[in-house]
Amino acid sequence: MNTIISADKVYALAFAAQEPYTSAIITDMDILEAQTRYLLPILGQRLLEDLCDGLHPSLKNDYVAPALAAYVRYLIEPLLDLRSTACRGEGLSTAANERVAMSVEALHHKAAALRRRLSDYLNANCDSFQEYVPENNPLNHCVMYGGVVQVY
């Protein structure tokens, strides 16, 4: 399976310039995991393949890439923090674990908001994307906010 965006693009979208990392920390497997787990259910297989093939560049650049990059960052953040903690010579403390948990939770909220933005855009413009099937988008049927599940 191809990835929609490269590791360099993920790095550019999801990391600040002053962070002590390079795009080499992001693997194709990280991107594929985020793409498959979080975006494939929204996009559907046909639209995802078209995006991988370079079709719909504005959808890809404006909506899909930011959401995908945010989910990649969300997935790899615990490992990054563990590595940086070890490099600083710090042990795993309760405070460090709480800091990681808060950081990961914030990244998850950001990624989920960007995925919702993508879903809303697709729903509002579904006539422009023949491959998109709104009925198959799980965000059109069920949403979770703060542990509360809304089914519609």
Side-chain angles (χ1 to χ4, degrees):
M1 178 181 244
N2 295 327
T3 59
I4 297 173
I5 60 175
S6 68
D8 290 334
K9 184 73 171 177
V10 170
Y11 183 79
L13 291 170
F15 289 82
Q18 67 271 21
E19 291 187 84
Y21 308 112
T22 67
S23 64
I25 61 167
I26 303 160
T27 67
D28 284 345
M29 291 308 298
D30 296 328
I31 300 169
L32 280 172
E33 180 182 0
Q35 182 174 293
T36 303
R37 186 187 292 185
Y38 299 107
L39 295 187
L40 177 60
I42 306 300
L43 299 169
Q45 188 66 40
R46 285 182 44 212
L47 183 53
L48 183 123
E49 288 172 0
D50 284 355
L51 290 165
C52 287
D53 291 340
L55 299 175
H56 312 298
S58 63
L59 172 65
K60 175 183 169 180
N61 295 327
D62 297 341
Y63 295 91
V64 176
L68 181 54
Y71 272 113
V72 171
R73 177 70 190 252
Y74 163 68
L75 288 174
I76 67 174
E77 184 65 24
L79 180 60
L80 296 177
D81 196 72
L82 184 63
R83 286 180 183 170
S84 64
T85 300
C87 289
R88 291 190 303 264
E90 297 175 9
L92 292 177
S93 66
T94 302
N97 288 339
E98 287 177 10
R99 187 182 73 240
V100 171
M102 289 176 21
S103 176
V104 169
E105 182 179 0
L107 288 168
H108 185 256
H109 288 302
K110 179 179 181 177
L114 289 168
R115 183 174 61 172
R116 170 54 70 186
R117 179 176 170 260
L118 165 63
S119 178
D120 290 347
Y121 178 79
L122 286 171
N123 289 330
N125 298 283
C126 59
D127 293 340
S128 302
F129 307 104
Q130 300 303 317
E131 310 90 336
Y132 176 65
V133 182
E135 294 79 20
N136 294 342
N137 181 342
L139 294 183
N140 292 338
H141 304 287
C142 177
V143 180
M144 291 178 57
Y145 291 109
V148 176
V149 178
Q150 298 176 345
V151 179
Y152 43 93

